[in-house]
Amino acid sequence: MRFRSVRPNDMPAVDAIVVPLFEDRAVAKTLDRAIRAVVDRIAKDVGVTRLYAVSSHFGEGPRIVVVGAGKRLEFDAERARRLASAGLKSLWRSRAKRLALVIDTDAGLDPGRAVRAAVEGVVFAMWRPEAHRTREEERRLPPLDTVLLVVEGDVKEAIKRGETVGEAVNVARRLANEPANKMTPSTLAAVAAGLAAEAGVDCDVLDADECRALGMHSFLSVARGSHEPPKFIVLRHAGRGGKGYDAGFVGKGITFDSGGISIKPAEAMHRMKADMTGAAVVVAALAALGKLGTRANIIGVAPCTENLPGGGATKPGDVFTSMSGKTVEVINTDAEGRLVLIDGITYAQREGARRVVDVATLTGAIAVALGHHFSGLFGRPVGFVDEVVAAAHAAGDRVWPMPLTDDYREEIRSDIADLSNSAGRDGGAIKAAAFLDAAVEEGTEWAHLDVAGTYWEELDRPYTPKGPQGPAVRTLIELAERIAPA
């Protein structure tokens, strides 16, 4: 699929045109008079609510798709992104190959920002979860091959960035959507190496022996019950060159989580194939940073393993020593994500990252607290947490800062070791964050994104298909760009 911009007066023949319509019913002045008349008729005859698409043929010409854009004063990048997705989804079963997407600059959003968001929205809408259906028509993408952004000005860079970021989100979705028998730790490591090579990013994959030599016994404790060997993926993007890292991104990579000896209920366990969403997010984000040439040095870390109840599996009550030297008593083997993450966080710090952000489907408790619309954000100091909030807001991810005090840190102390990996259900998401915080060294700025409530969408919405969502990919990319040296 190709993207390019065209001026309103130079628009070539297309099969469909997507037009935003605000509540004030004022149609973009740049549109052809005949097209504006069709839009006016649609608005008058059926009305258009926000993100609801209505289409009509324009005589023998292109199909006109009108998408409700809400209030003009509330129009922002996220609305532009969702509007583009909704417009394309309404054409999913059509034969349209060439699409024009009208960017209404009268809404006050910077044209470059609007174009970037719209391109992301189109790319998002081109992903579907039905990858393993055998009937071709049930997994076929629409024949769309060209998208024209109808706007004044030079927006080439905005198009490039929107396409790269959109594709990165879809990479994370695709990886999380794969069943566990087709996305093992070894497979994920091979995919990461391939994506890194395409993007000019260095990739190392540490095996169990190498991890053992580094003292990663907390990470390796989770892998004990599986026949699949664990893989510790390390990606390095040297955007500015020189020594050191401006940030480290760490992603939880549990390619299937049965709960181990503390086995999960059977209901919805199949979705635990996507418990490696954090790793998928980090891999996709690092590859995007390479393609964009972001001028920052970023290290990405993804500790990957299965969590199964085999004969050698970790038992409740076992004690292991983490890479940081702290000892951990495993109370609940289903609280395994934090066991792999603390070694990942320590590794990133040992490599020189003094800013660390981890992403994980860590606790069901965060979904109880926030539902499925916001990811939970923890960290310290407050200033760095605020930076992550700003990056997420600008990128289009919704996050909500959560508390983390010494009261919770006290609750994860073990009677026989330094730390306990489980301390009861109340405040579960906060206690999990407190466990990770124990691996954060003095002088490190750290943020933890618990995406267990946002990694999967149950409903097929106008702006996103059901299934994995790739949360936080955009946040990591935005954050890396913001902390890049001038």
Side-chain angles (χ1 to χ4, degrees):
M1 186 168 59
R2 296 168 297 173
F3 290 90
R4 65 184 179 91
S5 63
V6 295
R7 289 183 170 83
N9 294 332
D10 298 330
M11 189 170 64
V14 294
D15 300 312
I17 303 173
V18 175
V19 182
L21 183 67
F22 294 90
E23 287 186 359
D24 60 15
R25 302 299 175 93
V27 182
K29 299 175 182 178
T30 55
L31 284 176
D32 177 90
R33 182 179 299 176
I35 296 176
R36 291 174 64 186
V38 174
V39 174
D40 285 338
R41 189 174 70 243
I42 291 175
K44 181 179 179 181
D45 291 347
V46 299
V48 181
T49 56
R50 184 161 65 93
L51 292 180
Y52 181 76
V54 177
S55 63
S56 174
H57 278 300
F58 171 43
E60 299 297 322
R63 178 180 293 275
I64 309 297
V65 179
V66 179
V67 185
K71 295 180 180 179
R72 190 176 293 273
L73 292 177
E74 296 177 356
F75 192 69
D76 58 10
E78 182 61 17
R79 187 76 60 80
R81 188 179 293 113
R82 294 186 174 200
L83 187 151
S85 288
L88 179 57
K89 282 193 68 178
S90 72
L91 296 167
W92 190 266
R93 297 300 179 187
S94 76
R95 297 180 180 180
K97 292 185 178 181
R98 292 171 61 83
L99 170 69
L101 185 60
V102 176
I103 306 298
D104 191 336
T105 55
D106 291 337
L109 188 62
D110 173 77
R113 191 71 186 88
V115 165
R116 171 181 146 190
V119 171
E120 287 179 15
V122 169
V123 177
F124 292 168
M126 289 294 288
W127 184 86
R128 293 293 306 178
E130 302 92 352
H132 294 287
R133 290 188 177 176
T134 56
R135 294 179 60 186
E136 184 180 352
E137 61 269 26
E138 292 185 346
R139 54 184 171 81
R140 183 179 61 227
L141 293 174
L144 191 66
D145 63 20
T146 302
V147 177
L148 305 176
L149 289 306
V150 184
V151 64
E152 296 283 358
D154 183 1
V155 292
K156 289 181 181 178
E157 285 302 313
I159 290 174
K160 176 185 175 182
R161 192 185 188 286
E163 190 172 8
T164 302
V165 173
E167 288 175 351
V169 173
N170 284 356
V171 164
R173 285 172 162 174
R174 176 174 60 82
L175 295 178
N177 193 54
E178 282 295 284
N181 64 319
K182 297 180 181 295
M183 190 51 63
T184 65
S186 297
T187 305
L188 182 51
V191 171
L195 291 169
E198 292 176 6
V201 173
D202 290 335
C203 179
D204 294 320
V205 179
L206 309 183
D207 62 20
D209 289 340
E210 291 170 300
C211 291
R212 193 172 294 110
L214 291 170
M216 297 184 190
H217 303 294
S218 183
F219 164 53
L220 293 174
S221 74
V222 181
R224 290 162 58 96
S226 174
H227 292 299
E228 291 289 342
K231 300 293 179 181
F232 193 93
I233 303 169
V234 182
L235 301 169
R236 293 180 171 89
H237 169 64
R240 61 168 170 80
K243 296 181 179 180
Y245 293 101
D246 302 298
F249 299 152
V250 182
K252 171 187 171 184
I254 305 298
T255 58
F256 187 77
D257 181 20
S258 71
I261 296 297
S262 308
I263 198 164
K264 294 176 179 289
E267 183 180 2
M269 192 194 289
H270 64 282
R271 197 178 297 158
M272 289 299 98
K273 67 180 185 178
D275 208 26
M276 38 62 72
T277 291
V281 165
V282 168
V283 168
L286 264 290
L289 293 176
K291 291 180 179 179
L292 291 169
T294 303
R295 289 183 55 80
N297 286 0
I298 307 292
I299 184 171
V301 177
C304 300
T305 180
E306 293 181 333
N307 182 28
L308 296 177
T314 291
K315 304 170 291 297
D318 286 354
V319 174
F320 299 93
T321 302
S322 66
M323 187 181 181
S324 70
K326 288 185 169 66
T327 55
V328 178
E329 181 186 15
V330 179
I331 300 298
N332 185 338
T333 64
D334 192 27
E336 85 299 330
R338 62 203 74 178
L339 297 176
V340 306
L341 283 174
I342 57 168
D343 282 349
I345 291 170
T346 297
Y347 183 90
Q349 292 174 114
R350 296 280 172 86
E351 290 292 300
R354 305 324 299 174
R355 294 187 187 99
V356 176
V357 180
D358 73 77
V359 182
T361 49
L362 203 63
T363 67
I366 199 65
V368 173
L370 297 177
H372 299 283
H373 303 294
F374 284 81
S375 298
L377 172 62
F378 305 81
R380 59 182 170 94
V382 173
F384 184 58
V385 173
D386 289 343
E387 285 185 52
V388 177
V389 170
H393 179 74
D397 288 321
R398 295 204 280 183
V399 302
W400 196 262
M402 300 287 287
L404 178 57
T405 64
D406 287 340
D407 307 275
Y408 298 100
R409 295 182 180 95
E410 283 295 319
E411 292 192 47
I412 57 144
R413 290 170 62 96
S414 165
D415 290 335
I416 66 169
D418 296 324
L419 304 170
S420 168
N421 83 323
S422 182
R425 300 185 64 179
D426 56 308
I430 308 174
K431 293 173 186 176
F435 184 90
L436 300 180
D437 181 54
V440 179
E441 300 169 0
E442 191 68 30
T444 296
E445 297 180 316
W446 162 72
H448 159 57
L449 284 165
D450 191 337
V451 298
T454 54
Y455 80 107
W456 197 275
E457 180 61 69
E458 287 285 356
L459 301 176
D460 214 351
R461 299 182 185 276
Y463 52 85
T464 185
K466 61 183 178 181
Q469 299 301 301
V473 172
R474 293 175 290 173
T475 297
L476 296 188
I477 296 171
E478 180 74 25
L479 184 64
E481 291 179 333
R482 287 176 173 233
I483 65 180

